[in-house]
């Protein structure tokens, strides 16, 4: 008789763990989209389309976990069958999301610049799916507005010398949005103020013409800025993929326990009927 109770207790305990995990993911998604949230040098708070998957996954984990807890505590076979069905869908969805995140972020990386401590980013290096996200006018308008309001580039203004600035390890967004590309050969005045050459530019990079010393504009309209945002996004999605991999393993373990609990409960029920 002790075996079913033990299985139910272990199964319920694991579901409490996944319930707390789901609540953490849900809270993280809500916090990431909160208006008061500000990032020091990144743009993850501006990439709003990352918020929706976190909210959906967090809510789904909580619903599945509560079904498992209720099924274990009440020994309700119907709830356990529901749990197994929902858990299978969740595992499949998490697996697909992980593969998708790795696929769309596989391409694209910062390019080292000679004599510079930072890397520079080009939009064409990233996958077409990611490029379409930032090339959409409405989406980029929201991201650009958020970047300006968050003061991403203001954090660079510390009156450093040129040598100090070029040896700094800038974030992808700071590199792409707060300064002109190195190939433009602009003269450095301070971190966010650069003087264009008096003669015609030898560079074919359109960002050289897009750059503005207006502190509300800078390079927010540049292709390099969009690439910098994708650079931050790639780093975020890599972390999400790792978290999802851990989540999948945990869900598979709990799913296996659920199958065991359902089998034990049915066996326990037949034993009671036999008596």
């Amino acid at each position: 008789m002790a075996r079913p109770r033990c299985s139910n207790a272990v199964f319920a305990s694991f579901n409490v763990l996944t319930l707390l995990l789901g609540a953490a993911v849900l809270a993280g998604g809500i916090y990431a989209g909160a208006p008061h949230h500000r990032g020091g040098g990144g743009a993850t708070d501006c990439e709003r389309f990352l918020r929706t998957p976190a909210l959906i996954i967090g809510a789904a984990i909580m619903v599945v976990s509560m079904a498992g807890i209720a099924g274990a505590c009440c020994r309700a076979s119907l709830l356990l069958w529901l749990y197994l069905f929902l858990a299978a869908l969740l595992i499949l969805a998490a697996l697909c999301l992980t593969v998708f995140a790795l696929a769309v972020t596989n391409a694209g990386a910062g390019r080292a610049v000679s004599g510079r401590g930072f890397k520079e980013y080009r939009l064409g290096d990233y996958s077409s799916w990611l490029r379409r996200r930032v090339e959409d006018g409405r989406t980029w308008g929201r991201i650009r507005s958020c970047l300006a309001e968050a003061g991403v580039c203001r954090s660079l203004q510390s009156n450093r010398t040129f040598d100090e600035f070029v040896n700094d390890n800038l974030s992808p967004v700071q590199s792409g949005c707060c300064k002109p590309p190195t190939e433009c050969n602009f003269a450095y005045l301070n971190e966010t103020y650069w003087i264009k050459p008096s003669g015609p530019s030898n560079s074919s990079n359109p960002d050289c013409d897009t750059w503005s010393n207006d502190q509300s504009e800078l390079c927010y309209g540049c292709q390099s800025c969009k690439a910098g945002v994708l650079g931050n996004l790639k780093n975020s999605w890599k972390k999400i993929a790792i978290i999802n991999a851990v989540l999948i393993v945990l869900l598979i373990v709990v799913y296996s326990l659920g199958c065991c609990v359902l089998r034990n409960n049915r066996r326990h029920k037949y034993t009671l009927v036999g008596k």
Side-chain angles (χ1 to χ4, degrees):
M1 295 291 181
R3 185 179 176 185
R5 287 196 297 271
C6 179
S7 296
N8 281 327
V10 172
F11 178 64
S13 298
F14 268 92
N15 273 283
V16 169
L17 178 62
T18 57
L19 178 66
L20 295 175
L21 177 62
V25 173
L26 186 64
I30 294 173
Y31 179 72
H36 63 273
H37 181 52
R38 288 290 179 262
T44 52
D45 57 320
C46 303
E47 294 148 359
R48 300 296 184 180
F49 43 87
L50 278 179
R51 182 189 182 192
T52 302
L55 295 177
I56 294 174
I57 292 174
I61 293 174
M62 292 184 68
V63 170
V64 172
S65 298
M66 286 188 288
I69 293 171
C73 294
C74 303
R75 290 185 181 174
S77 296
L78 181 60
L79 286 176
L80 288 174
W81 277 114
L82 177 63
Y83 167 83
L84 293 176
F85 174 73
L86 294 177
L89 292 180
L90 184 58
I91 292 171
L92 181 61
L95 183 61
C96 291
L97 178 61
T98 302
V99 173
F100 176 75
L102 291 175
V104 299
T105 58
N106 185 52
R111 299 188 180 190
V113 182
S114 177
R116 302 291 187 265
F118 51 77
K119 294 181 178 180
E120 293 190 337
Y121 300 82
R122 296 188 180 182
L123 191 59
D125 292 342
Y126 293 90
S127 67
S128 58
W129 188 89
L130 284 177
R131 291 201 306 271
R132 286 197 297 270
R133 303 283 79 75
V134 295
E135 287 174 343
D136 176 73
R138 178 177 296 181
T139 300
W140 181 248
R142 291 197 296 266
I143 296 175
R144 175 175 175 164
S145 175
C146 188
L147 287 170
E149 292 174 4
V152 170
C153 297
R154 282 198 301 270
S155 62
L156 290 177
Q157 298 172 350
S158 56
N159 294 320
R160 289 172 290 181
T161 65
F162 176 73
D163 288 337
E164 290 174 334
F165 175 75
V166 297
N167 286 303
D168 193 6
N169 183 23
L170 304 180
S171 72
V173 167
Q174 290 173 332
S175 175
C177 304
C178 305
K179 65 170 190 60
T182 301
E183 65 181 280
C184 296
N185 293 318
F186 286 6
Y188 176 87
L189 189 60
N190 63 39
E191 291 87 346
T192 57
Y193 198 97
W194 299 71
I195 301 175
K196 295 183 178 181
S198 56
S201 174
N202 294 325
S203 174
S204 60
N205 192 331
D207 290 349
C208 298
D209 294 324
T210 305
W211 168 264
S212 171
N213 284 318
D214 183 338
Q215 298 300 293
S216 64
E217 295 291 334
L218 298 178
C219 219
Y220 292 138
C222 297
Q223 298 297 300
S224 63
C225 187
K226 296 177 181 179
V229 169
L230 293 185
N232 269 41
L233 180 64
K234 177 179 179 178
N235 294 336
S236 298
W237 277 33
K238 290 291 185 183
K239 295 175 183 176
I240 290 174
I242 294 173
I243 295 173
N244 272 346
V246 175
L247 175 63
I248 290 170
V249 173
L250 179 59
L251 287 175
I252 291 175
V253 171
V254 181
Y255 185 87
S256 301
L257 284 174
C259 294
C260 179
V261 167
L262 180 61
R263 184 173 62 251
N264 286 343
N265 283 352
R266 293 176 66 183
R267 186 180 303 163
H268 180 64
K269 178 180 178 181
Y270 294 147
T271 300
L272 292 177
V273 171
K275 291 183 177 180

